[in-house]
Amino acid sequence: MAAVSEAERVGKAAVAPARANAPPAAQPLQTGMFGFGALLLTLSTITPAASVFIIGSQVIAQAGSGAAWSFLIAAVVCVPVALIYAELSSAFPLTGQEYTMVGAVLGPSWGFMALGINIVGGAFTQAVTALGLALYLGVAIPGAPMLPTALVAMLVATLIPILNVRFNALVTGLFLAAEMAALLAVAWLGAVHMRPEAARILMHPDVLGAAGNLTRAPVSLIVLGAAGAIFAYNGFGAAASFGEETHDPRRSIAAVVLWALAITVAAEVLPVLALLIASGDTPGVIGAASPVRAFIALGGGPFAKVVSLGVALAIVNAMIATTLINARQLYATGRDAVWPAAWNRQLTRTHGRFNSPWVATLVSGALAGAMCFVPLATLVVLTATGIIGTYILVAVSALAGRATGSTDHGHYRMPLFPLGPILALAALVAIVWGDWLDPASGRPSLIANLAIMGGFALYYLVFLRGRRAFALRGPEGAL
């Protein structure tokens, strides 16, 4: 209740002065897409192929053939989360995404916690993706150096998003077709090599033991692997970022969120299941540094090169889509007058021909490029649990939004409320507890993300609270 009262006290009190003392009007984004275009961009953000090949490999290495259950558990957890995002996105289809949703419902200080994860975590995630590109590009182009490859990819992923959002939807749609083909190829390879004992492999999963032999996978590792699988599905909530550029967003964006999760689960679970039923008790695959790469090698050199090239294209596609989102997040902060006035004016500038927030796009690309110089192991730790904090904030916002009526203007209402948010919070708290019990990476990641969230909330409380220029805004002014 304290957070809600802050929203009423600070948010509403700031609206009237903000209209009179607002910074120069932001140059608006152009409505140019329908829901299908937003769906292509959202799926490209999730990038199912890269999720399977990179994150899926980590889950398999951790949970062995129990990774199949990890992905299924994660899918169940993500259903209520997607329903939450659908309802909040219908009420707030704005470029600020979680920052605006949470801030409008719980109060600006809570919204700034989400903003910290999105801005800082977004740059970290982009860097991890860019550095991981060399891993798969190296199969088709041997000897591709990691850092130069990452920086070139970041340059491409920064320049393309400056173009018109409809053009970006077309480009990412073509790349998306290539990555879906790569996933189908993995599923086909698994079907060809299907083992008679497939049911046993799935019902009695194994994991590689310390001595290099296969042992029964404990439930704890399967549940811990579910945290990684949730990250593999993550991105369906990004649909809200394109709401201001989509026709009739209050009706269409909720559907985009739900379709994005459904397609993602199907696109990721099928190849993972196919891989595991074909090689789930093979130490050379599930014990490899990259199990999915080891598996596609069974298809022969040419097959592995073609599939790896498809994954490389998927990674670039994800980087383009993520830059689009990160840029619009920065654009929203400039419109809300979060930064010094000169910075706000630049971040809200749009391209005269393409109507894209081109300055914000360049800034987001530069931030991600700078993060490429941070050691990859450090980046992985920093990004591991940020999304869990965001999910908790939006779940609490869904509950508070219904209680205060702040989301009543949305077109979509989730079924069986409040079951979805309660189930999501229970699952997320369990995952947080599991991460805290992991001193190697889980606990440091939690601490790092809490520090980021706290730092951004402190920035709001010290520099922005009570300032007349700051207010949460949409295209038509203060919310």
Side-chain angles (χ1 to χ4, degrees):
M1 291 301 295
V4 174
S5 63
E6 181 188 5
E8 295 174 350
R9 182 179 69 255
V10 178
K12 292 182 179 179
V15 169
R19 287 172 180 161
N21 298 278
Q27 298 177 20
L29 301 175
Q30 185 181 57
T31 301
M33 290 190 302
F34 290 94
F36 183 68
L39 177 61
L40 292 178
L41 290 172
T42 303
L43 287 172
S44 297
T45 303
I46 301 170
T47 184
S51 294
V52 168
F53 278 72
I54 298 175
I55 303 171
S57 284
Q58 295 174 352
V59 175
I60 293 170
Q62 185 175 55
S65 53
W69 292 105
S70 297
F71 271 85
L72 291 174
I73 292 170
V76 172
V77 172
C78 284
V79 168
V81 176
L83 294 174
I84 291 167
Y85 267 102
E87 180 163 318
L88 292 176
S89 297
S90 180
F92 305 103
L94 303 171
T95 59
Q97 205 176 330
E98 293 96 350
Y99 151 67
T100 304
M101 297 173 187
V102 175
V105 176
L106 298 180
S109 59
W110 297 89
F112 269 74
M113 293 184 187
L115 179 64
I117 295 177
N118 286 350
I119 290 182
V120 180
F124 288 159
T125 301
Q126 278 284 68
V128 170
T129 305
L131 292 169
L133 175 63
L135 181 67
Y136 287 96
L137 195 60
V139 176
I141 308 175
M146 179 176 285
L147 183 58
T149 299
L151 293 176
V152 170
M154 274 309 315
L155 180 62
V156 172
T158 301
L159 296 179
I160 291 179
I162 293 176
L163 303 176
N164 185 278
V165 70
R166 287 175 296 178
F167 178 79
N168 275 278
L170 175 62
V171 170
T172 55
L174 293 174
F175 279 27
L176 187 64
E179 69 173 286
M180 290 299 184
L183 290 173
L184 285 174
V186 174
W188 171 82
L189 185 64
V192 169
H193 291 82
M194 185 177 295
R195 310 270 288 280
E197 61 271 26
R200 181 195 62 78
I201 291 172
L202 295 179
M203 297 308 298
H204 303 285
D206 294 321
V207 67
L208 195 68
N213 59 316
L214 291 174
T215 61
R216 185 63 54 85
V219 174
S220 60
L221 285 183
I222 293 174
V223 173
L224 195 59
I230 288 174
F231 187 68
Y233 294 142
N234 177 56
F236 46 84
S241 295
F242 307 109
E244 294 178 33
E245 297 162 279
T246 304
H247 292 283
D248 196 10
R250 294 195 188 280
R251 292 177 179 271
S252 60
I253 293 300
V256 170
V257 171
L258 299 177
W259 273 111
L261 176 62
I263 294 171
T264 297
V265 169
E268 294 187 17
V269 168
L270 289 177
V272 168
L273 285 175
L275 183 157
L276 292 174
I277 62 178
S279 60
D281 60 354
T282 305
V285 174
I286 66 174
S290 178
V292 182
R293 277 189 65 188
F295 177 70
I296 64 173
L298 299 177
F303 177 88
K305 286 186 177 182
V306 171
V307 173
S308 295
L309 184 59
V311 176
L313 289 175
I315 293 173
V316 174
N317 194 30
M319 293 173 64
I320 293 171
T322 304
T323 300
L324 285 165
I325 292 170
N326 293 346
R328 280 148 182 78
Q329 182 86 91
L330 287 175
Y331 170 89
T333 62
R335 183 171 63 190
D336 293 349
V338 168
W339 317 110
W343 295 14
N344 294 327
R345 284 193 296 271
Q346 293 301 317
L347 290 175
T348 54
R349 291 180 62 183
T350 59
H351 195 281
R353 179 180 177 185
F354 303 124
N355 295 106
S356 61
W358 68 276
V359 174
T361 302
L362 293 177
V363 172
S364 64
L367 288 174
M371 292 301 105
C372 291
F373 291 91
V374 177
L376 182 59
T378 302
L379 290 171
V380 170
V381 169
L382 291 173
T383 59
T385 58
I387 188 60
I388 303 300
T390 303
Y391 283 178
I392 290 174
L393 287 173
V394 296
V396 173
S397 296
L399 292 170
R402 286 285 189 102
T404 63
S406 55
T407 57
D408 287 352
H409 58 283
H411 179 266
Y412 176 83
R413 309 288 276 177
M414 77 180 80
L416 302 178
F417 182 88
L419 184 60
I422 291 174
L423 290 177
L425 284 171
L428 292 168
V429 168
I431 291 171
V432 168
W433 178 245
D435 281 340
W436 183 258
L437 296 178
D438 176 21
S441 60
R443 189 179 303 168
S445 180
L446 280 173
I447 294 172
N449 281 282
L450 285 172
I452 292 170
M453 294 165 69
F456 270 72
L458 186 64
Y459 175 85
Y460 165 74
L461 293 171
V462 173
F463 296 105
L464 295 178
R465 186 171 61 172
R467 299 287 179 90
R468 292 184 173 183
F470 170 77
L472 294 173
R473 295 181 176 88
E476 299 175 355
L479 300 180

